[in-house]
Amino acid sequence: MAGLVTASLLAWPVLCLMFFLLLRARTAVVVSVFFAVLFLPMGSIEFSGFVNFNKYNSASLGVLLGVVLFDSMRIMTFRLKWIDAPIIIYACSAFMSSISNGLGVYDGISGLQNNFMIWMVPYFVGRIYFSTPEGMRFLAKSIVIWVLVYLPFVAYEIRMSPQLHRMLYGYSPLGWSQLSRGSGAYRPAVFMQHGLMVSLWITSGGLAAFCLWQGKARRQIAGVPAILIAATDALFVFLSNSFGSLLILLGLVASVLLGRATRWTMVLVLVVSVVPTYTLARVILSWEPTVFVEGVDKYVSTARASSFQFRVDNERLMIDKTMGSRPLLGYGGWGRGRIYSESGRDLSITDSYWIIVLSSQGLLGLVAFLAVLVVPVYGFAYRVRVRCWREPWAAGGLALVTVIIAFTFDSISNAMFNPIYVLAIGAVAGFVVHPSWQKANSKGRTLRRSGR
């Protein structure tokens, strides 16, 4: 089956070109990225001198070639804006980290290439194709539909156990302990990195469906009431045994309802600000989330509290190592920022995206990473008043913003990269600085075009 994995990863960029040839460019982008994330194998091909070639690189390469070959005029209309600075700094910090650690230009270019392919390509494609209100609505609707496509596979693994990846590609990328939840319950992983990634994906579909429904943009999607789709997604998140994703889903739905009830734009800003506040407080102020551990112990379970405390303790070791000697640019790649015993055994547990970024790219990379996630949300909150959230033109943007916030919260505890979320980040960032739009007027009925 290794031949099937290799063939599928290498063939995908060619198939992406076929999509661009046969479909509208925007639709081709969605099919190329979404199908790759959801159905290509969790494996990689090693090329000398390059980072491992996986399904994210394959999809980005296919989309990049498709845009260049079939829609090059779109690229010519693109202009860099101030909001693009965080992702450029984040991508380049990998190169600077390699140089500062004496790993050489070759290693630095390899790190830059990886960040370019999996972060910058989907981000700028999102900027180019989905930055208008109609484009954001199209991307949000696509998320809802592709989650619906995935649910039958999730349902199969909930009932029959997570076996689809092994059945199709000949192996399972995860150990059984990551898939079984005890008492005959399973955490479906389908063709994704982990079951937690699947549950966050379903959460994203539920959030997008709810926001489109409440905004009158899409009361029905594929002939099904959007609110029913949102409720179904919530049920599947519950059945997937992911307490964190369910909490994110319910919390963000409550935040949208609270914002509408109070007409307070800062609701989303305050919610998403929890993440950079938490991470930077831990890194810069050496703050420990003891109160959160105690809360989990009291209101959830002692087992989850112990797991949380174990994670916190491991993160503290890596924080102290990085901030003690390489605070600005970190240790670069090759696991140099991890903790090892005297015998050389790796003691590090790096479940969180932010701690991986800190140890490898330092404070510069971490701050840039956090800015990539939260600045578009801040910009949307400034551009769009709460009273506009129910307008069809704004509902798609609100849907993408909630999806971005969900991914941002997930990055506190998990390292589950998904380029679909980066497309959403690029789309909202492009909307914030779009030259054709001004801030919504006070009545919230229309989005004014500049010069009118």
Side-chain angles (χ1 to χ4, degrees):
M1 290 294 184
L4 178 59
V5 173
T6 302
S8 61
L9 294 179
L10 293 178
W12 191 248
V14 179
L15 292 176
C16 292
L17 295 182
M18 292 180 58
F19 298 146
F20 275 87
L21 182 63
L22 299 174
L23 306 172
R24 292 177 57 194
R26 188 169 62 182
T27 304
V29 168
V30 167
V31 174
S32 299
V33 176
F34 282 52
F35 191 95
V37 171
L38 300 182
F39 294 106
L40 289 189
M42 287 304 306
S44 61
I45 307 170
E46 295 186 8
F47 291 110
S48 178
F50 295 91
V51 295
N52 291 344
F53 190 75
N54 55 32
K55 62 181 178 180
Y56 308 131
N57 303 121
S58 183
S60 291
L61 178 60
V63 169
L64 182 61
L65 292 175
V67 174
V68 171
L69 296 177
F70 296 101
D71 202 15
S72 57
M73 293 303 297
R74 178 88 62 163
I75 300 176
M76 305 306 293
T77 64
F78 175 79
R79 297 292 183 274
L80 281 173
K81 300 292 184 178
W82 61 267
I83 204 166
D84 303 320
I87 198 163
I88 294 174
I89 295 172
Y90 173 66
C92 293
S93 65
F95 177 83
M96 293 184 284
S97 181
S98 292
I99 298 300
S100 69
N101 281 281
L103 298 177
V105 174
Y106 187 85
D107 184 82
I109 292 176
S110 177
L112 178 60
Q113 168 204 311
N114 184 58
N115 279 348
F116 174 80
M117 292 301 294
I118 69 172
W119 277 94
M120 294 186 71
V121 169
Y123 173 88
F124 285 110
V125 167
R127 284 267 277 108
I128 291 171
Y129 286 105
F130 305 106
S131 61
T132 64
E134 195 274 333
M136 291 190 295
R137 190 164 60 248
F138 178 85
L139 183 57
K141 179 186 173 184
S142 298
I143 291 174
V144 175
I145 291 175
W146 282 82
V147 168
L148 287 177
V149 169
Y150 221 49
L151 289 186
F153 302 95
V154 174
Y156 175 87
E157 292 204 341
I158 290 175
R159 179 66 182 87
M160 304 301 294
S161 81
Q163 297 288 339
L164 289 175
H165 197 288
R166 182 191 60 79
M167 291 166 62
L168 180 59
Y169 295 111
Y171 68 97
S172 175
L174 292 169
W176 189 248
S177 62
Q178 297 293 319
L179 301 173
S180 175
R181 304 303 295 168
S183 303
Y186 303 106
R187 177 176 280 166
V190 196
F191 302 104
M192 287 189 171
Q193 178 181 345
H194 196 281
L196 295 174
M197 186 176 177
V198 173
S199 60
L200 185 68
W201 171 240
I202 303 172
T203 292
S204 301
L207 289 170
F210 171 77
C211 291
L212 291 175
W213 172 81
Q214 67 85 40
K216 305 177 184 177
R218 287 281 176 178
R219 287 292 188 174
Q220 291 189 340
I221 299 175
V224 181
I227 191 62
L228 178 59
I229 294 176
T232 302
D233 289 342
L235 175 62
F236 269 84
V237 173
F238 173 77
L239 294 175
S240 298
N241 294 286
S242 179
F243 174 78
S245 292
L246 184 62
L247 187 62
I248 289 172
L249 173 59
L250 298 178
L252 286 176
V253 167
S255 298
V256 171
L257 294 176
L258 178 62
R260 280 181 44 186
T262 61
R263 294 193 173 186
W264 193 35
T265 308
M266 292 295 291
V267 167
L268 294 181
V269 171
L270 291 177
V271 170
V272 77
S273 295
V274 169
V275 177
T277 302
Y278 171 86
T279 54
L280 294 178
R282 293 204 60 198
V283 172
I284 299 175
L285 303 179
S286 297
W287 173 76
E288 294 300 313
T290 306
V291 63
F292 293 152
V293 176
E294 294 174 351
V296 172
D297 186 28
K298 182 176 180 180
Y299 297 106
V300 183
S301 71
T302 301
R304 289 188 180 272
S306 299
S307 176
F308 186 18
Q309 185 63 61
F310 180 76
R311 181 195 303 268
V312 168
D313 292 340
N314 275 272
E315 289 171 349
R316 172 51 53 195
L317 294 174
M318 295 188 69
I319 291 171
D320 291 343
K321 178 177 179 178
T322 302
M323 298 302 292
S325 56
R326 308 290 303 176
L328 183 61
L329 293 171
Y331 282 92
W334 309 103
R336 298 173 76 251
R338 302 175 70 85
I339 306 298
Y340 297 93
S341 67
E342 293 183 358
S343 61
R345 186 167 64 92
D346 189 354
L347 303 176
S348 304
I349 305 295
T350 52
D351 292 330
S352 309
Y353 211 126
W354 69 270
I355 195 65
I356 296 173
V357 174
L358 175 69
S359 64
S360 61
Q361 298 172 226
L363 263 178
L364 178 65
L366 177 62
V367 172
F369 170 72
L370 294 173
V372 169
L373 299 176
V374 303
V375 169
V377 177
Y378 295 161
F380 183 87
Y382 171 76
R383 283 282 191 186
V384 182
R385 303 176 191 276
V386 174
R387 59 173 59 90
C388 300
W389 287 2
R390 298 196 66 181
E391 299 298 323
W393 64 262
L398 179 63
L400 296 186
V401 163
T402 58
V403 168
I404 294 168
I405 296 175
F407 176 57
T408 302
F409 268 91
D410 187 69
S411 297
I412 290 181
S413 56
N414 300 309
M416 309 291 177
F417 175 78
N418 188 332
I420 297 173
Y421 303 140
V422 186
L423 281 175
I425 293 170
V428 177
F431 169 79
V432 171
V433 296
H434 200 290
S436 299
W437 305 102
Q438 291 182 341
K439 189 176 180 181
N441 63 28
S442 58
K443 293 183 179 180
R445 296 300 180 188
T446 60
L447 190 66
R448 296 183 297 178
R449 287 187 177 277
S450 58
R452 293 187 179 184

